[in-house]
């Protein structure tokens, strides 16, 4: 089964989500990053969408998949920020925030598996 297309769709959808709902993403931008959170929201969304396109295109798939793995690692601080900020939320919201942390591992492995094909 070709798993590159679902990964490409996930990345592209997430990238578009940054533009459609920037407030959500602004809130999880780590505070130690310089400049306004909105800049990082739009920049990371653009990178996610571009990496998604790179994964979708067979000619750039390998490079795109390696970029996706790196992107998933780079996004980890935002997921940590979300978990810290949501520690006082409802049990369901906390489960979402904390669940994002270990989810990065299979995402990185998925991208690496595609890159190594």
């Amino acid at each position: 089964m070709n798993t590159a297309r679902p990964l490409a769709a996930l990345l592209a959808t997430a990238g578009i989500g940054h533009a459609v709902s920037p407030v959500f993403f602004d809130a999880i931008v780590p505070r130690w990053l310089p400049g306004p959170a909105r800049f990082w929201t739009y920049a990371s969304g653009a990178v996610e969408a571009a990496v998604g396109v790179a994964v979708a295109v067979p000619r750039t798939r390998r490079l795109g998949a390696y970029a996706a793995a790196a992107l998933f690692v780079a996004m980890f601080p935002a997921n940590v920020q979300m978990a810290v900020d949501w520690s006082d939320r409802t049990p369901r919201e906390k489960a979402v925030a904390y669940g994002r942390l270990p989810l990065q591992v299979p995402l990185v492995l998925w991208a690496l598996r595609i890159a190594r094909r």
Side-chain angles (χ1 to χ4, degrees):
M1 180 175 147
N2 183 357
T3 62
R5 285 185 181 165
L7 179 61
L10 174 74
L11 288 160
T13 301
I16 292 166
H18 284 68
V20 172
S21 298
V23 173
F24 172 81
F25 295 97
D26 289 349
I28 64 171
V29 170
R31 292 184 255 306
W32 50 265
L33 286 173
R38 185 61 52 92
F39 166 79
W40 294 104
T41 294
Y42 286 148
S44 62
V47 169
E48 275 186 295
V51 169
V53 170
V55 170
V57 176
R59 193 168 176 187
T60 57
R61 182 165 294 145
R62 182 180 174 139
L63 179 61
Y66 278 124
L71 182 62
F72 292 136
V73 171
M75 290 177 354
F76 190 73
N79 292 335
V80 170
Q81 187 70 59
M82 183 180 180
V84 169
D85 291 346
W86 287 28
S87 64
D88 60 349
R89 300 271 185 113
T90 67
R92 182 175 182 213
E93 290 172 318
K94 282 195 270 192
V96 168
Y98 298 147
R100 289 172 60 113
L101 297 174
L103 181 61
Q104 295 306 114
V105 173
L107 289 173
V108 169
L109 294 174
W110 183 14
L112 290 175
R113 200 172 320 115
I114 292 167
R116 292 177 180 149
R117 283 197 186 135

